[in-house]
Amino acid sequence: VVPCRVPEGMPRAAFASMASLVPGSLAAGEENDSQVIHCLDLRMPVKEAMAADEARFMKLLRGEGHD
């Protein structure tokens, strides 16, 4: 379970779809303000990677372009 600050609705659905493209992970649902992520290798830094992806996604939502 990974905390998620992406607004509910279409933005969060788009982020979940994007997160599912990462090899070895799959967005499997929501719990409160968190995303449930199914991952194949628990040794991988899934929460850290999701937080970085979320930060980039939020920049795009704000219209700040990309890195």
Side-chain angles (χ1 to χ4, degrees):
V1 178
V2 180
C4 186
R5 297 175 300 142
V6 176
E8 292 181 17
M10 188 61 77
R12 191 170 290 185
F15 180 70
S17 294
M18 183 196 74
S20 294
L21 296 174
V22 176
S25 66
L26 176 68
E30 297 183 27
E31 282 184 9
N32 302 315
D33 287 332
S34 298
Q35 287 282 329
V36 177
I37 304 295
H38 172 77
C39 56
L40 295 177
D41 189 349
L42 295 176
R43 296 172 294 176
M44 298 300 293
V46 175
K47 285 186 179 185
E48 293 83 358
M50 293 296 294
D53 289 344
E54 179 186 69
R56 286 189 286 273
F57 189 81
M58 293 294 286
K59 277 181 76 172
L60 289 172
L61 284 180
R62 292 191 300 267
E64 295 176 15
H66 55 82
D67 296 340

